[in-house]
């Protein structure tokens, strides 16, 4: 995929089937990972750390994770969530918008990796 990055609007229409499939897999995995982190990993992490946040709203959980150093800032999480929501809820016709969404997601991969590494450093047996 590195050969296709950054994605340009003009290139979207000319992508071969394999490249389209690669991007589809990337989008699926990005959204699933972001969902799994928010829905399962972070609640399990708080439970592992014996933090009583089971019945608290997600914003409270994120604030606590930020305080504990697992999130650089809640803004980091919100950025990932906005990108994820582009793929889950937006269906733009404009190729420039599609390309921008893909480029945002690809640029956010290091952030996802760093968040996972923070968890891995704190939880024995967890691999990022």
């Amino acid at each position: 995929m590195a050969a296709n990055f950054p994605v340009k609007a003009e290139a979207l229409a000319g992508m071969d089937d394999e490249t389209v499939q690669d991007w589809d897999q990337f989008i699926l995995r990005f959204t699933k990972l972001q969902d799994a982190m928010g829905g399962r990993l972070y609640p399990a992490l708080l439970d592992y750390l014996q933090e009583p946040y089971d019945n608290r709203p997600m914003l409270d959980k994120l604030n606590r994770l930020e305080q504990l150093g697992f999130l650089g800032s809640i803004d980091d999480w919100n950025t990932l969530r906005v990108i994820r929501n582009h793929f889950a809820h937006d269906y733009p016709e404009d190729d420039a918008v599609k390309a921008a969404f893909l480029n945002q997601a690809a640029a956010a991969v290091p952030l996802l990796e760093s968040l996972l590494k923070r968890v891995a450093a704190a939880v024995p047996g967890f691999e990022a």
Side-chain angles (χ1 to χ4, degrees):
M1 291 180 59
N4 300 306
F5 188 73
V7 178
K8 303 221 182 304
E10 311 81 50
L12 286 177
M15 285 185 183
D16 60 31
D17 289 343
E18 184 176 337
T19 303
V20 170
Q21 190 173 27
D22 289 345
W23 279 110
D24 282 346
Q25 281 298 308
F26 171 78
I27 291 166
L28 176 69
R29 291 175 184 182
F30 184 97
T31 58
K32 293 267 187 198
L33 177 58
Q34 201 278 333
D35 284 343
M37 288 173 70
R40 291 185 300 229
L41 178 62
Y42 284 154
L45 176 61
L46 289 169
D47 187 52
Y48 173 79
L49 297 171
Q50 299 180 0
E51 295 284 336
Y53 280 78
D54 285 347
N55 297 318
R56 304 282 292 273
M58 186 63 179
L59 186 57
D60 289 349
K61 293 175 185 178
L62 294 173
N63 279 319
R64 185 61 182 145
L65 289 166
E66 182 181 27
Q67 291 170 347
L68 294 169
F70 291 100
L71 287 175
S73 75
I74 291 178
D75 291 338
D76 290 344
W77 185 256
N78 288 335
T79 296
L80 293 171
R81 195 70 183 163
V82 166
I83 293 168
R84 178 246 179 241
N85 287 342
H86 287 317
F87 296 123
H89 303 296
D90 296 339
Y91 305 100
E93 295 294 324
D94 184 353
D95 283 347
V97 174
K98 290 178 193 175
F101 289 168
L102 291 172
N103 288 325
Q104 285 176 337
V109 167
L111 176 57
L112 277 171
E113 288 177 326
S114 73
L115 295 175
L116 289 170
K117 286 179 182 177
R118 289 178 187 190
V119 174
V123 179
F126 180 84
E127 294 181 31

